[in-house]
Amino acid sequence: MMQFEELLNQKIELLPPSRVREAMRYSLLAGGKRLRPMMLYATVEGFNLSKEEADDFACALEMIHTYSLIHDDLPAMDNDDLRRGKPTCHKQFDEATAILAGDGLLTYAFEIASNSKVNQLDQCIHYLANYAGAGGMILGQCLDIEERQDLTWEDLKRIHYYKTGCLFAAPLAIGALIANQNEDLVKEFDAIGKDLGLAFQIQDDLLDIHASMEELGKSTSDARNGKITSVSILSDEKANIEMNRLYNDCMTRLQQIEGFDAKYLISIVKEVITRKK
Ligand code: GRG
């Protein structure tokens, strides 16, 4: 993924020099797992297209994801000091700059996406906006900060589908669109992506309990803060079972898609299953 890091840096270099540009670069290049871009690349490769076709949307996805982390860490939200093993954006710069860096990454993502030459560009941009917006990830965050204490598993699943699932569904659905697939197949990729996001979030809740702050590279512990999580609702054991069931089910469904070579995506899922952060 060295090439992808370089690509992100090149995109940032195209902006006029400023404090906000440096804050955007700082958070973007702070060493995330790059899962969402990797999932997009694996989807287009599974349809036998070259990875480069997806470069613009891969950058856009990582920028939107990074913006969400910067804003999520702000004092008005989670008020975190550590992210990706480094001081959060508002700690390294200041609060106003961190707000602008998030806004800058979000808007820049759409500028880059709109310059792309992919198939079904309008649809790709529409999906991206929908997944990121108030009918997608932002809705999930809004439901999450309500912190209701009477949440059922169904309620929590809904929050995770929006908050985490949408940005996992985006690379899969957009990958299928770039590969010129039809609406039904795009919907199947979307559904698999949402389930992968849910599994990933359950795994996050499990790691939150079992891994140290150093291992995770972030400081907030939902469990310590008394937040309702999949583990507090389901129990450790059942959360584990549900996570594995979801991951396995997603891999099976991917293998059943005709004309799609699932091996690239499956190898990412297998790596994610064994992740420690
Ligand atoms: C503030 C608009 C707004 C949205 C925030 C994504 C999000 C919504 C909040 C971040 C906190 C959180 C735990 C979100 C769930 C999704 C998730 C597990 C994000 C972390 O993704 P990774 O593990 O992060 O892929 P890296 O750093 O590896 O890129």
Side-chain angles (χ1 to χ4, degrees), residues 31-36 62 64-73 77-78 83-84 132 137-138 140-142 144 160 163-165 167-168 197 200-201 204 218 222 275 277:
K33 293 184 286 297
R34 312 311 190 198
L35 269 181
R36 296 147 191 86
E62 191 60 27
I64 293 173
H65 168 57
T66 304
Y67 122 76
S68 80
L69 300 179
I70 295 174
H71 281 191
D72 187 63
D73 290 334
M77 297 220 191
D78 270 359
R83 169 69 68 182
R84 293 174 163 172
M137 180 181 70
I138 290 179
Q141 179 75 348
C142 174
D144 190 47
H160 292 334
K163 185 178 153 183
T164 311
L167 272 208
F168 273 66
F200 187 84
Q201 188 58 58
D204 235 49
K218 57 185 178 185
D222 288 343
R275 77 191 171 107
K277 64 175 183 178

Side-chain angles (χ1 to χ4, degrees), residues 25 33 42 55 158 211:
R25 191 197 319 265
K33 293 184 286 297
D55 273 347
R158 181 163 172 265

